[in-house]
Amino acid sequence: MKPYWLDEPREPLPSVTLDGHPDVVVVGAGVTGCSAALHLAEAGLRVRVFDAREVAGGASGRNGGFALRGMSAPFDVTAASVGEQSGRALMAWTERAIDRIEALAGNAFRRVGSLRVAVDAEERDELRAEFDALVAGGFDTEWVDSFEAPFDTRFAGAIRHVPDGVLQPARWVRRLAALAAGAGVEIREHTHVSSLDELGGATVVVCADGYPSGLLGPLEGLVIPTRGQVIATEPVPERLFETPHYGRHGFDYWHQAEDGRIVAGGFRDVSLDSEFTAEERLTEPVQAALHAFVNGLLGRELRVDYAWAGIFGMVLDFLPVVGRVPGYDNVWTAGGYSGHGNVLGFACGELVARAIVCEDDPLLPLFDPARLLNG
Ligand SMILES: Cc1cc2nc3c(=O)[nH]c(=O)nc-3n(C[C@H](O)[C@H](O)[C@H](O)COP(=O)(O)OP(=O)(O)OC[C@H]3O[C@@H](n4cnc5c(N)ncnc54)[C@H](O)[C@@H]3O)c2cc1C
């Protein structure tokens, strides 16, 4: 059940202990919480982070490792819902976030692009529409029409998102936590926060994405906990999937890790209803589908060395939830990335930190948490 990424040995964090009360408490030491903490400390605030588990012990150390630009919905779909200008601004904002991740992550990030593949003619048409919109917006994008055997009959076309990349996500978030500690942030692991009353009146930022924190008042449960399952096979000697691939509207995703293992996730649609849960466990139907999928990709039986589950937060409009919690003066949140939180988590951690220090941003109204209360 241990995620492959978290199995990598970790360096101890720089030890920081704040005297007295902090200015800001961050709940959650995933990518969002660590990013928020780093940016708040850089703005001169005293910050303490709590996590019930270890750094990156939630979805941030349990995900597929895809570092993708954009929102969870395809670019053209997002632009249709928020308007073309805002859609382009969101896309450019996430591209800048990938640049900053590259600058900070060292060998936890490889900029290899990503391939969103079509598995049939219908999905190919959808991808063509997204491709045309990306090109019209001036975003670096390539269309892929042909694949080498044995994949030539499997895929009907693909978009190459050139600026994307792949992460060893636990290594990246541990590094981000170390940067935050280096900037003076105190990080208390294995400490669950049960109530806001415990936090001495500090400003609080809840960065729990899909894990129910119990701290979000009227928003509790409105970011819907959703389970994802992933496997990592034995190392495969041939390099087949340097670039992360995702298809069937993101229901399948896979790539090859540095040591040759095929890391594959998804297949929630095998039992869609039962995967809307915060219960972090493996299920036989999804695991069987993942194993059969990687065997089919490689054309031979592969051993599964790691299998794990994680929880992410789904939002019905596929936009993040960032801002003040309605009804509270000093409680903020950032999360709700609908399975797309590696880049968005980093970017939204910074965004919420800037909002707390009163730096306005034109993107914030799009992510206003209050919209969840209106339907
Ligand atoms: C299986 C899976 C695959 C995914 N694949 C991808 C992918 O390839 N690319 C991508 O971009 N995104 C992916 N995602 C989504 C992405 O991982 C998440 O959106 C992102 O990691 C969220 O980061 P976070 O810091 O907001 O939350 P998390 O990393 O989930 O951290 C939340 C933390 O809050 C802590 N917490 C909660 N409540 C409390 C409390 N009361 N007291 C103390 N601590 C508390 C939890 O212990 C947890 O560690 C995937 C998610 C899953 C589950």
Side-chain angles (χ1 to χ4, degrees):
M1 196 38 196
K2 184 151 197 187
Y4 168 57
W5 314 120
L6 287 168
D7 209 17
E8 182 170 286
R10 65 181 279 197
E11 302 274 320
L13 282 171
S15 168
V16 178
T17 308
L18 296 178
D19 289 333
H21 288 302
D23 300 312
V24 184
V25 166
V26 176
V27 180
V31 64
T32 310
C34 291
S35 170
L38 173 63
H39 289 102
L40 287 162
E42 286 177 346
L45 295 177
R46 290 156 45 82
V47 184
R48 183 176 289 148
V49 178
F50 290 98
D51 199 296
R53 301 168 132 183
E54 60 181 293
V55 166
S60 294
R62 300 173 166 271
N63 64 61
F66 289 38
L68 308 177
R69 64 183 176 181
M71 302 293 109
S72 177
F75 173 64
D76 55 327
V77 175
T78 301
S81 78
V82 299
E84 200 161 294
Q85 201 183 344
S86 295
R88 289 180 182 184
L90 288 171
M91 185 59 108
W93 173 64
T94 56
E95 288 190 349
R96 291 194 297 274
I98 297 177
D99 292 344
R100 288 206 309 287
I101 290 172
E102 183 174 41
L104 296 177
N107 69 355
F109 176 78
R110 289 179 288 140
R111 199 186 281 264
V112 288
S114 77
L115 271 186
R116 182 175 171 220
V117 298
V119 297
D120 55 29
E122 190 185 335
E123 194 172 16
R124 182 190 158 96
D125 288 348
E126 289 175 24
L127 262 58
R128 267 319 292 196
E130 182 180 13
F131 173 77
D132 291 344
L134 284 162
V135 170
F139 295 104
D140 197 356
T141 311
E142 294 166 3
W143 181 257
V144 181
D145 237 345
S146 58
F147 298 83
E148 285 178 20
F151 306 115
D152 47 343
T153 52
R154 190 177 261 269
F155 307 130
I159 295 177
R160 184 185 300 282
H161 289 271
V162 179
D164 289 351
V166 68
L167 289 158
Q168 202 299 18
R171 195 188 298 162
W172 151 234
V173 176
R174 287 167 173 171
R175 202 157 275 167
L176 191 58
L179 288 170
V185 172
E186 179 181 336
I187 300 178
R188 292 195 189 170
E189 297 175 281
H190 308 292
T191 311
H192 183 260
V193 177
S194 308
S195 147
L196 296 172
D197 299 336
E198 292 169 23
L199 303 177
T203 294
V204 178
V205 197
V206 180
C207 302
D209 193 25
Y211 290 88
S213 67
L215 304 173
L216 282 175
L219 297 181
E220 198 67 41
L222 297 181
V223 172
I224 302 160
T226 308
R227 179 168 58 209
Q229 301 184 43
V230 187
I231 61 173
T233 68
E234 64 186 293
V236 168
E238 60 270 35
R239 295 299 304 176
L240 293 167
F241 300 109
E242 204 73 63
T243 302
H245 288 56
Y246 55 116
R248 282 200 322 116
H249 307 100
F251 275 121
D252 317 331
Y253 51 91
W254 69 98
H255 67 96
Q256 205 164 3
E258 294 153 297
D259 65 358
R261 297 178 195 279
I262 307 291
V263 176
F267 284 90
R268 282 190 302 118
D269 54 328
V270 171
S271 54
L272 202 51
D273 288 347
S274 63
E275 298 305 291
F276 288 113
T277 174
E279 199 187 347
E280 199 180 84
R281 72 175 179 89
L282 304 179
T283 65
E284 202 280 325
V286 175
Q287 288 295 307
L290 284 169
H291 196 185
F293 176 71
V294 292
N295 289 342
L297 267 184
L298 273 285
R300 63 180 190 267
E301 176 78 18
L302 292 175
R303 193 182 67 235
V304 173
D305 285 348
Y306 294 86
W308 67 94
I311 308 299
F312 62 89
M314 185 71 90
V315 181
L316 295 180
D317 64 9
F318 298 109
L319 292 173
V321 176
V322 182
R324 212 187 290 264
V325 175
Y328 294 76
D329 283 341
N330 63 346
V331 185
W332 299 73
T333 190
Y337 312 118
S338 302
H340 204 90
N342 279 335
V343 176
L344 282 176
F346 178 71
C348 290
E350 179 184 6
L351 194 63
V352 77
R354 290 182 43 222
I356 289 168
V357 298
C358 300
E359 281 181 33
D360 205 10
D361 190 295
L363 297 179
L364 275 168
L366 293 172
F367 301 158
D368 185 359
R371 76 187 193 278
L372 302 188
L373 301 177
N374 305 325

